[in-house]
Amino acid sequence: KPTQADIDALRDEIQRIIDKATESDTSAKTVLQAISDQSKLGFTDASYKDRDAAVDVMKRADELAKLARKKPEDLTVSDFDKLNAGLKKYAGDELFAEEFAKQLGPQKTLEFWAGINDRSRSNWDLERQRADQFADLQRNLSLTLANATQSDSPAMAEWKRHMIDIGDKYLYGNRGGPMGFQVMSNLMRTGDYDDQFL
């Protein structure tokens, strides 16, 4: 006769299976929705070995966007290296590019790029140890954003609209700074940006 402990263990095992199935369904839905949203008709050309590979790409985009959202003075050399390597690796990946752009957002995109190039705002260690790699980061960020603008998703349509709206405004509001278009045009030297956005 099974004991209460046996029954509890079986119940816990069934719950773990249900939880994993729910997580799997949720991640599959998220990935399929993201892929289908990128194109007005059907799916994009995005291709992944399996669902987990696509989920990992989206998680990586979220992690890197979180780093880029840091205050420029808090961005470490290690953070810079992770961002540069990640953007270089995934710049051509459609899911990554859109997820990164969405999570970072237009305002934070401008603040990130302007901030690390502003000696009065950025971490001095970056200037001393990574100044020779800023051009690489600019290229990798540019390619990622260009790829993201090619998406037809509602989220990226809103991203582009918002970026244009803040283009003629000072980056730091009443505190001045460069204007949005000045910063964004600096990031549009490389990559195939959506023609209408251009």
Side-chain angles (χ1 to χ4, degrees), residues 36-44 151-153 196:
S36 67
D37 280 351
Q38 289 187 334
S39 178
K40 286 180 182 170
L41 299 173
F43 287 79
T44 65
S151 171
D152 290 328
S153 75
Q196 288 187 329

Side-chain angles (χ1 to χ4, degrees), residues 110-129:
L110 300 178
E111 289 176 7
F112 166 71
W113 185 243
I116 66 168
N117 285 284
D118 183 344
R119 289 183 176 177
S120 68
R121 293 178 183 271
S122 68
N123 181 339
W124 280 91
D125 288 339
L126 289 183
E127 181 70 26
R128 284 196 305 270
Q129 298 178 40

Side-chain angles (χ1 to χ4, degrees), residues 58 61-63 65-66 69 98-105 108 159:
M58 293 182 74
D62 293 342
E63 290 167 5
K66 188 175 178 181
R69 290 180 70 85
E98 178 173 350
E99 184 69 11
F100 177 83
K102 283 189 325 190
Q103 292 303 322
L104 187 54
K108 286 294 185 182
W159 188 95

Side-chain angles (χ1 to χ4, degrees), residues 38 46-48 57 89-98 144 147-148:
Q38 289 187 334
S47 176
Y48 297 92
V57 163
K89 180 176 181 179
Y90 295 108
D93 187 291
E94 296 165 354
L95 278 185
F96 174 89
E98 178 173 350
T144 301
N147 195 1

